[in-house]
Tab-separated table of all heavy atoms in Angstrom:
chain	number	residue	atom	x	y	z
A	1440	LEU	N	-15.565	21.187	59.568
A	1440	LEU	CA	-15.983	20.008	58.810
A	1440	LEU	C	-14.734	19.294	58.299
A	1440	LEU	O	-13.916	19.985	57.767
A	1440	LEU	CB	-16.878	20.413	57.642
A	1440	LEU	CG	-17.359	19.244	56.743
A	1440	LEU	CD1	-18.314	18.307	57.461
A	1440	LEU	CD2	-18.067	19.828	55.474
A	1441	SER	N	-14.671	17.987	58.417
A	1441	SER	CA	-13.609	17.196	57.891
A	1441	SER	C	-14.217	15.905	57.399
A	1441	SER	O	-14.420	14.949	58.159
A	1441	SER	CB	-12.580	16.913	59.037
A	1441	SER	OG	-11.550	16.060	58.577
A	1442	VAL	N	-14.454	15.844	56.089
A	1442	VAL	CA	-15.023	14.681	55.472
A	1442	VAL	C	-14.120	14.078	54.393
A	1442	VAL	O	-13.643	14.752	53.530
A	1442	VAL	CB	-16.389	15.074	54.795
A	1442	VAL	CG1	-16.969	13.871	54.021
A	1442	VAL	CG2	-17.393	15.587	55.821
A	1443	SER	N	-13.797	12.802	54.570
A	1443	SER	CA	-12.928	12.114	53.649
A	1443	SER	C	-13.589	12.000	52.272
A	1443	SER	O	-14.731	11.640	52.176
A	1443	SER	CB	-12.608	10.698	54.145
A	1443	SER	OG	-11.935	9.966	53.149
A	1444	GLN	N	-12.867	12.363	51.248
A	1444	GLN	CA	-13.402	12.338	49.915
A	1444	GLN	C	-13.378	10.864	49.384
A	1444	GLN	O	-13.769	10.635	48.199
A	1444	GLN	CB	-12.628	13.267	48.964
A	1444	GLN	CG	-12.852	14.706	49.266
A	1444	GLN	CD	-14.297	15.088	49.307
A	1444	GLN	OE1	-15.088	14.810	48.375
A	1444	GLN	NE2	-14.729	15.762	50.430
A	1445	ASP	N	-12.847	9.956	50.165
A	1445	ASP	CA	-12.906	8.527	49.766
A	1445	ASP	C	-14.329	7.959	49.877
A	1445	ASP	O	-14.634	6.909	49.382
A	1445	ASP	CB	-11.991	7.652	50.667
A	1445	ASP	CG	-10.539	7.958	50.393
A	1445	ASP	OD1	-10.246	8.409	49.253
A	1445	ASP	OD2	-9.689	7.725	51.205
A	1446	LEU	N	-15.234	8.704	50.579
A	1446	LEU	CA	-16.605	8.309	50.707
A	1446	LEU	C	-17.297	8.611	49.432
A	1446	LEU	O	-17.096	9.622	48.751
A	1446	LEU	CB	-17.254	9.107	51.820
A	1446	LEU	CG	-16.692	8.987	53.236
A	1446	LEU	CD1	-17.425	9.915	54.133
A	1446	LEU	CD2	-16.724	7.577	53.724
A	1447	HIS	N	-18.252	7.753	49.045
A	1447	HIS	CA	-19.063	8.007	47.882
A	1447	HIS	C	-20.505	7.845	48.170
A	1447	HIS	O	-21.257	8.793	48.152
A	1447	HIS	CB	-18.623	7.169	46.715
A	1447	HIS	CG	-17.400	7.605	46.039
A	1447	HIS	ND1	-17.339	8.582	45.096
A	1447	HIS	CD2	-16.046	7.295	46.298
A	1447	HIS	CE1	-16.073	8.824	44.765
A	1447	HIS	NE2	-15.302	8.021	45.480
A	1448	ALA	N	-20.934	6.657	48.528
A	1448	ALA	CA	-22.331	6.448	48.808
A	1448	ALA	C	-22.555	5.447	49.959
A	1448	ALA	O	-21.718	4.601	50.233
A	1448	ALA	CB	-23.065	5.905	47.548
A	1449	THR	N	-23.619	5.637	50.637
A	1449	THR	CA	-23.990	4.760	51.779
A	1449	THR	C	-25.493	4.625	51.823
A	1449	THR	O	-26.200	5.492	51.303
A	1449	THR	CB	-23.439	5.242	53.103
A	1449	THR	OG1	-23.562	4.220	54.114
A	1449	THR	CG2	-24.107	6.517	53.546
A	1450	LEU	N	-25.996	3.572	52.461
A	1450	LEU	CA	-27.383	3.343	52.511
A	1450	LEU	C	-27.949	3.826	53.849
A	1450	LEU	O	-27.467	3.392	54.940
A	1450	LEU	CB	-27.706	1.838	52.380
A	1450	LEU	CG	-29.130	1.403	52.184
A	1450	LEU	CD1	-29.633	1.956	50.822
A	1450	LEU	CD2	-29.259	-0.058	52.227
A	1451	ALA	N	-28.880	4.804	53.863
A	1451	ALA	CA	-29.381	5.367	55.125
A	1451	ALA	C	-30.712	6.039	54.873
A	1451	ALA	O	-31.031	6.336	53.719
A	1451	ALA	CB	-28.414	6.414	55.681
A	1452	ASP	N	-31.394	6.296	55.971
A	1452	ASP	CA	-32.619	7.078	55.926
A	1452	ASP	C	-32.178	8.531	56.132
A	1452	ASP	O	-31.723	8.888	57.193
A	1452	ASP	CB	-33.587	6.686	57.058
A	1452	ASP	CG	-34.896	7.438	57.071
A	1452	ASP	OD1	-34.876	8.652	56.869
A	1452	ASP	OD2	-35.871	6.807	57.344
A	1453	PRO	N	-32.290	9.419	55.147
A	1453	PRO	CA	-31.718	10.767	55.207
A	1453	PRO	C	-32.354	11.563	56.364
A	1453	PRO	O	-31.607	12.279	57.103
A	1453	PRO	CB	-32.044	11.402	53.884
A	1453	PRO	CG	-33.109	10.531	53.232
A	1453	PRO	CD	-32.906	9.157	53.760
A	1454	GLY	N	-33.672	11.440	56.606
A	1454	GLY	CA	-34.284	12.214	57.698
A	1454	GLY	C	-33.749	11.747	59.039
A	1454	GLY	O	-33.469	12.583	59.965
A	1455	LYS	N	-33.591	10.419	59.223
A	1455	LYS	CA	-33.099	9.902	60.488
A	1455	LYS	C	-31.657	10.232	60.694
A	1455	LYS	O	-31.173	10.485	61.826
A	1455	LYS	CB	-33.266	8.399	60.518
A	1455	LYS	CG	-34.756	7.950	60.410
A	1455	LYS	CD	-35.621	8.478	61.524
A	1455	LYS	CE	-37.001	7.849	61.562
A	1455	LYS	NZ	-37.759	8.200	60.367
A	1456	LEU	N	-30.832	10.267	59.586
A	1456	LEU	CA	-29.433	10.601	59.717
A	1456	LEU	C	-29.290	12.068	60.073
A	1456	LEU	O	-28.441	12.423	60.920
A	1456	LEU	CB	-28.760	10.356	58.367
A	1456	LEU	CG	-27.183	10.545	58.331
A	1456	LEU	CD1	-26.539	9.750	59.473
A	1456	LEU	CD2	-26.658	10.099	56.987
A	1457	ILE	N	-30.155	12.894	59.615
A	1457	ILE	CA	-30.153	14.359	60.032
A	1457	ILE	C	-30.455	14.422	61.521
A	1457	ILE	O	-29.860	15.222	62.219
A	1457	ILE	CB	-31.171	15.145	59.183
A	1457	ILE	CG1	-30.660	15.330	57.800
A	1457	ILE	CG2	-31.453	16.495	59.844
A	1457	ILE	CD1	-31.574	16.049	56.803
A	1458	ARG	N	-31.411	13.610	61.995
A	1458	ARG	CA	-31.730	13.659	63.436
A	1458	ARG	C	-30.501	13.266	64.241
A	1458	ARG	O	-30.267	13.856	65.298
A	1458	ARG	CB	-32.856	12.689	63.638
A	1458	ARG	CG	-33.375	12.737	65.147
A	1458	ARG	CD	-34.055	14.050	65.444
A	1458	ARG	NE	-34.950	13.942	66.550
A	1458	ARG	CZ	-34.782	14.509	67.699
A	1458	ARG	NH1	-33.747	15.281	67.913
A	1458	ARG	NH2	-35.688	14.460	68.663
A	1459	ILE	N	-29.754	12.271	63.806
A	1459	ILE	CA	-28.526	11.879	64.508
A	1459	ILE	C	-27.555	13.061	64.593
A	1459	ILE	O	-27.054	13.396	65.643
A	1459	ILE	CB	-27.839	10.703	63.767
A	1459	ILE	CG1	-28.616	9.420	64.051
A	1459	ILE	CG2	-26.418	10.527	64.296
A	1459	ILE	CD1	-28.063	8.201	63.304
A	1460	LEU	N	-27.309	13.730	63.427
A	1460	LEU	CA	-26.409	14.825	63.347
A	1460	LEU	C	-26.913	16.010	64.237
A	1460	LEU	O	-26.085	16.591	64.931
A	1460	LEU	CB	-26.215	15.288	61.956
A	1460	LEU	CG	-25.589	14.214	60.981
A	1460	LEU	CD1	-25.617	14.715	59.565
A	1460	LEU	CD2	-24.182	13.886	61.424
A	1461	ASP	N	-28.197	16.317	64.183
A	1461	ASP	CA	-28.727	17.388	64.959
A	1461	ASP	C	-28.473	17.107	66.472
A	1461	ASP	O	-28.048	18.021	67.224
A	1461	ASP	CB	-30.258	17.533	64.701
A	1461	ASP	CG	-30.573	18.217	63.472
A	1461	ASP	OD1	-29.667	18.843	62.841
A	1461	ASP	OD2	-31.764	18.179	63.024
A	1462	ASN	N	-28.790	15.886	66.906
A	1462	ASN	CA	-28.680	15.606	68.323
A	1462	ASN	C	-27.206	15.681	68.801
A	1462	ASN	O	-26.904	16.181	69.856
A	1462	ASN	CB	-29.199	14.185	68.594
A	1462	ASN	CG	-30.726	14.209	68.642
A	1462	ASN	OD1	-31.379	15.156	68.169
A	1462	ASN	ND2	-31.321	13.109	69.132
A	1463	LEU	N	-26.263	15.107	68.003
A	1463	LEU	CA	-24.905	15.150	68.363
A	1463	LEU	C	-24.301	16.523	68.393
A	1463	LEU	O	-23.554	16.929	69.291
A	1463	LEU	CB	-24.040	14.210	67.481
A	1463	LEU	CG	-24.363	12.689	67.557
A	1463	LEU	CD1	-23.453	11.905	66.644
A	1463	LEU	CD2	-24.236	12.243	69.006
A	1464	LEU	N	-24.601	17.325	67.351
A	1464	LEU	CA	-24.079	18.683	67.303
A	1464	LEU	C	-24.713	19.562	68.431
A	1464	LEU	O	-23.968	20.371	69.041
A	1464	LEU	CB	-24.305	19.280	65.938
A	1464	LEU	CG	-23.334	18.892	64.812
A	1464	LEU	CD1	-23.793	19.473	63.471
A	1464	LEU	CD2	-21.985	19.334	65.119
A	1465	SER	N	-26.014	19.517	68.637
A	1465	SER	CA	-26.610	20.281	69.662
A	1465	SER	C	-26.120	19.861	71.024
A	1465	SER	O	-25.980	20.721	71.930
A	1465	SER	CB	-28.153	20.218	69.566
A	1465	SER	OG	-28.599	18.909	69.737
A	1466	ASN	N	-25.900	18.575	71.201
A	1466	ASN	CA	-25.325	18.128	72.461
A	1466	ASN	C	-23.924	18.698	72.727
A	1466	ASN	O	-23.624	19.125	73.853
A	1466	ASN	CB	-25.279	16.579	72.443
A	1466	ASN	CG	-24.870	15.966	73.753
A	1466	ASN	OD1	-25.600	16.052	74.736
A	1466	ASN	ND2	-23.668	15.371	73.810
A	1467	ALA	N	-23.125	18.767	71.654
A	1467	ALA	CA	-21.802	19.320	71.795
A	1467	ALA	C	-21.869	20.776	72.136
A	1467	ALA	O	-21.172	21.293	72.998
A	1467	ALA	CB	-20.989	19.119	70.490
A	1468	ALA	N	-22.789	21.567	71.464
A	1468	ALA	CA	-22.885	22.981	71.658
A	1468	ALA	C	-23.428	23.245	73.071
A	1468	ALA	O	-23.103	24.278	73.698
A	1468	ALA	CB	-23.861	23.579	70.644
A	1469	LYS	N	-24.232	22.367	73.630
A	1469	LYS	CA	-24.845	22.517	74.923
A	1469	LYS	C	-23.747	22.516	76.032
A	1469	LYS	O	-23.832	23.258	76.991
A	1469	LYS	CB	-25.884	21.512	75.206
A	1469	LYS	CG	-26.567	21.612	76.560
A	1469	LYS	CD	-27.670	20.525	76.709
A	1469	LYS	CE	-28.329	20.600	78.072
A	1469	LYS	NZ	-29.384	19.548	78.194
A	1470	TYR	N	-22.765	21.606	75.909
A	1470	TYR	CA	-21.777	21.420	76.910
A	1470	TYR	C	-20.450	22.047	76.689
A	1470	TYR	O	-19.700	22.213	77.642
A	1470	TYR	CB	-21.632	19.886	77.155
A	1470	TYR	CG	-22.889	19.228	77.573
A	1470	TYR	CD1	-23.511	18.193	76.820
A	1470	TYR	CD2	-23.537	19.611	78.793
A	1470	TYR	CE1	-24.710	17.620	77.250
A	1470	TYR	CE2	-24.745	18.990	79.168
A	1470	TYR	CZ	-25.299	18.002	78.383
A	1470	TYR	OH	-26.499	17.441	78.795
A	1471	ALA	N	-20.135	22.303	75.465
A	1471	ALA	CA	-18.792	22.920	75.185
A	1471	ALA	C	-18.837	24.430	75.405
A	1471	ALA	O	-19.799	25.069	75.068
A	1471	ALA	CB	-18.377	22.657	73.703
A	1472	PRO	N	-17.778	24.953	76.073
A	1472	PRO	CA	-17.778	26.421	76.348
A	1472	PRO	C	-17.822	27.210	75.085
A	1472	PRO	O	-17.399	26.807	74.035
A	1472	PRO	CB	-16.455	26.619	77.101
A	1472	PRO	CG	-16.085	25.245	77.579
A	1472	PRO	CD	-16.594	24.303	76.591
A	1473	ALA	N	-18.384	28.454	75.200
A	1473	ALA	CA	-18.423	29.380	74.047
A	1473	ALA	C	-16.963	29.648	73.551
A	1473	ALA	O	-16.094	29.734	74.363
A	1473	ALA	CB	-19.109	30.673	74.486
A	1474	GLY	N	-16.890	29.764	72.291
A	1474	GLY	CA	-15.577	30.045	71.637
A	1474	GLY	C	-14.756	28.813	71.332
A	1474	GLY	O	-13.705	28.964	70.734
A	1475	THR	N	-15.286	27.636	71.671
A	1475	THR	CA	-14.514	26.412	71.386
A	1475	THR	C	-14.962	25.795	70.068
A	1475	THR	O	-16.012	26.128	69.527
A	1475	THR	CB	-14.678	25.374	72.572
A	1475	THR	OG1	-16.059	25.051	72.712
A	1475	THR	CG2	-14.141	25.917	73.830
A	1476	LYS	N	-14.210	24.848	69.614
A	1476	LYS	CA	-14.430	24.219	68.312
A	1476	LYS	C	-15.312	22.943	68.438
A	1476	LYS	O	-15.128	22.186	69.328
A	1476	LYS	CB	-13.100	23.911	67.666
A	1476	LYS	CG	-13.190	23.394	66.230
A	1476	LYS	CD	-11.774	23.390	65.591
A	1476	LYS	CE	-10.869	22.505	66.315
A	1476	LYS	NZ	-9.550	22.380	65.611
A	1477	ILE	N	-16.196	22.780	67.450
A	1477	ILE	CA	-16.957	21.594	67.346
A	1477	ILE	C	-16.778	21.051	65.912
A	1477	ILE	O	-16.964	21.776	64.948
A	1477	ILE	CB	-18.495	21.782	67.558
A	1477	ILE	CG1	-18.726	22.337	69.021
A	1477	ILE	CG2	-19.317	20.532	67.305
A	1477	ILE	CD1	-20.182	22.789	69.201
A	1478	THR	N	-16.280	19.829	65.808
A	1478	THR	CA	-15.881	19.249	64.495
A	1478	THR	C	-16.772	18.122	64.096
A	1478	THR	O	-16.924	17.162	64.837
A	1478	THR	CB	-14.438	18.846	64.526
A	1478	THR	OG1	-13.566	19.917	64.854
A	1478	THR	CG2	-14.012	18.339	63.113
A	1479	LEU	N	-17.401	18.218	62.901
A	1479	LEU	CA	-18.087	17.100	62.311
A	1479	LEU	C	-17.158	16.445	61.284
A	1479	LEU	O	-16.674	17.093	60.394
A	1479	LEU	CB	-19.340	17.621	61.584
A	1479	LEU	CG	-20.124	16.570	60.726
A	1479	LEU	CD1	-20.633	15.429	61.546
A	1479	LEU	CD2	-21.290	17.296	59.951
Side-chain angles (χ1 to χ4, degrees):
L1440 179 67
S1441 176
V1442 176
S1443 170
Q1444 293 305 309
D1445 289 337
L1446 303 177
H1447 284 275
T1449 189
L1450 193 64
D1452 181 319
K1455 300 300 190 294
L1456 186 52
I1457 287 174
R1458 184 68 159 113
I1459 287 175
L1460 297 172
D1461 282 347
N1462 283 14
L1463 293 182
L1464 280 175
S1465 61
N1466 187 67
K1469 181 178 180 180
Y1470 299 117
T1475 58
K1476 184 168 62 174
I1477 298 173
T1478 303
L1479 171 62

